[in-house]
Amino acid sequence: MAAPDAPAAARPQPRPAGPRGRPPRKKGTSAAMLLIAPSIVFMTLLFGWPMVSGILQAFGGPEGLTTANFTRMTQDPYFWSSVGNTLLLIVVMIPIQFVLALAMALLIRAKPKGSSAYFYIWAIPLAVSDLAAGLVWLTVFTDRGYLNSLLASFGLEPVSWLAYDNYASMFMAVLIAEVWRATSLVFVIVVAGLQSIPKDYEEAAGVFGAGFWDRLWHVTLPLLRPSLQTALILRTILAFQTFAVALALTGQNFPLVVGETYRWYTGLQDANVASALALVVMTVSMITAIGYLKLLKDQSEAPR
């Protein structure tokens, strides 16, 4: 015998359609938009308006919009050398920092005796400003600094590490100071990423005969991909902005792109060319970040 029909009140009623047959909006969506609206307005004013002003200033001139500022920028004798120095510093520095940060993070994860002290000691440079780090290393590499004093104690001749005609030693001094100052940022991000990886995966791989390098390459690094991606983007963008360390160590003898922005704005009193340089740095940073996101995208998440 067929069951009697359910009463009309117990049947699920269709949701009333909105205009043109569309379902009505949820009230929660409107409430959420109202809650985040102040933050959106604040972030727009904090980042959007200065960016628009900088772009207008980069293309601004006495007769309206122009590209003359970019022409002056590229014709400056320091510009191309600053571009070359910045790119060389990034290409050499980023791999060194990631290898050191990963090695230190793996050592912390192994929990040797005193590992907590190692973490705090290696994180100390995070609290040191760029200029302060440059001044600290200036006491090491200057002609009468600690390094030459050490050489003299062994009966060796002092070396002009920061002389303008000794490009290799200048580059090494800036590289060492910047690696010391900024590796701690990558280190902290990698440590946080390693803490989110269960040790069960590595233990299971070890049961099946995988050695340390096999576990590192096939288990740890793939699971660490999001943290490495974040650290790589942040560190590369911040590396484009490096200049205080080089300024403290070498002055104008080792120019960098952001240092040129500072020189045009304060020394040459030309805010338009300085804005053009800042726009170049911002554009390159954005392109680099997008390139990293596409290059390091997890292929397993790609749509099939």
Side-chain angles (χ1 to χ4, degrees):
M1 182 176 179
D5 294 340
R11 296 175 186 171
Q13 299 296 325
R15 185 176 298 177
R20 299 183 181 179
R22 291 178 297 180
R25 291 183 178 179
K26 296 181 179 179
K27 293 183 179 180
T29 304
S30 301
M33 289 300 298
L34 289 175
L35 289 173
I36 66 174
S39 299
I40 294 176
V41 173
F42 175 76
M43 296 300 289
T44 302
L45 294 176
L46 184 63
F47 294 103
W49 174 245
M51 183 174 67
V52 172
S53 299
I55 293 173
L56 292 176
Q57 193 171 39
F59 288 96
E63 299 179 358
L65 297 180
T66 178
T67 59
N69 299 318
F70 293 90
T71 303
R72 291 188 64 190
M73 175 188 73
T74 55
Q75 290 178 349
D76 184 77
Y78 287 105
F79 174 73
W80 292 110
S81 60
S82 67
V83 171
N85 292 337
T86 302
L87 293 178
L88 179 63
L89 188 64
I90 291 174
V91 169
V92 177
M93 178 175 60
I94 297 297
I96 295 175
Q97 288 183 327
F98 271 77
V99 171
L100 289 175
L102 184 59
M104 293 188 296
L106 290 174
L107 180 61
I108 292 294
R109 196 186 192 201
K111 294 183 178 180
K113 187 176 180 180
S115 59
S116 58
Y118 295 157
F119 178 83
Y120 290 112
I121 291 173
W122 289 336
I124 285 176
L126 279 175
V128 180
S129 67
D130 300 13
L131 185 59
L135 294 175
V136 167
W137 284 95
L138 181 63
T139 62
V140 176
F141 290 109
T142 190
D143 290 345
R144 296 185 179 181
Y146 294 114
L147 185 55
N148 278 338
S149 298
L150 179 63
L151 294 178
S153 66
F154 288 102
L156 300 176
E157 292 292 329
V159 179
S160 297
W161 303 103
L162 303 177
Y164 72 94
D165 57 347
N166 197 348
Y167 180 85
S169 65
M170 274 198 310
F171 173 75
M172 289 302 299
V174 175
L175 176 65
I176 292 172
E178 190 63 20
V179 166
W180 176 85
R181 185 194 67 82
T183 302
S184 54
L185 174 63
V186 184
F187 164 67
V188 170
I189 295 175
V190 174
V191 167
L194 284 175
Q195 289 179 346
S196 65
I197 300 176
K199 288 188 176 181
D200 298 344
Y201 297 140
E202 293 186 1
E203 292 174 356
V207 169
F208 287 99
F212 171 78
W213 294 108
D214 290 329
R215 296 197 304 270
L216 176 63
W217 187 256
H218 297 289
V219 178
T220 305
L221 290 181
L223 294 174
L224 200 59
R225 180 194 295 267
S227 298
L228 292 177
Q229 186 182 55
T230 302
L232 185 59
I233 293 173
L234 285 176
R235 190 63 206 103
T236 304
I237 292 175
L238 292 175
F240 277 114
Q241 302 173 15
T242 300
F243 90 99
V245 170
L247 183 66
L249 286 172
T250 66
Q252 196 61 30
N253 295 331
F254 192 83
L256 297 172
V257 175
V258 175
E260 288 303 290
T261 305
Y262 176 79
R263 183 175 68 89
W264 275 99
Y265 189 82
T266 59
L268 302 178
Q269 298 291 315
D270 194 325
N272 296 94
V273 179
S275 297
L277 276 161
L279 182 60
V280 170
V281 174
M282 183 188 71
T283 304
V284 173
S285 300
M286 293 176 63
I287 293 174
T288 303
I290 295 172
Y292 280 151
L293 290 173
K294 291 185 176 294
L295 182 64
L296 300 176
K297 183 179 180 180
D298 191 353
Q299 298 299 324
S300 63
E301 298 178 357
R304 297 180 180 179

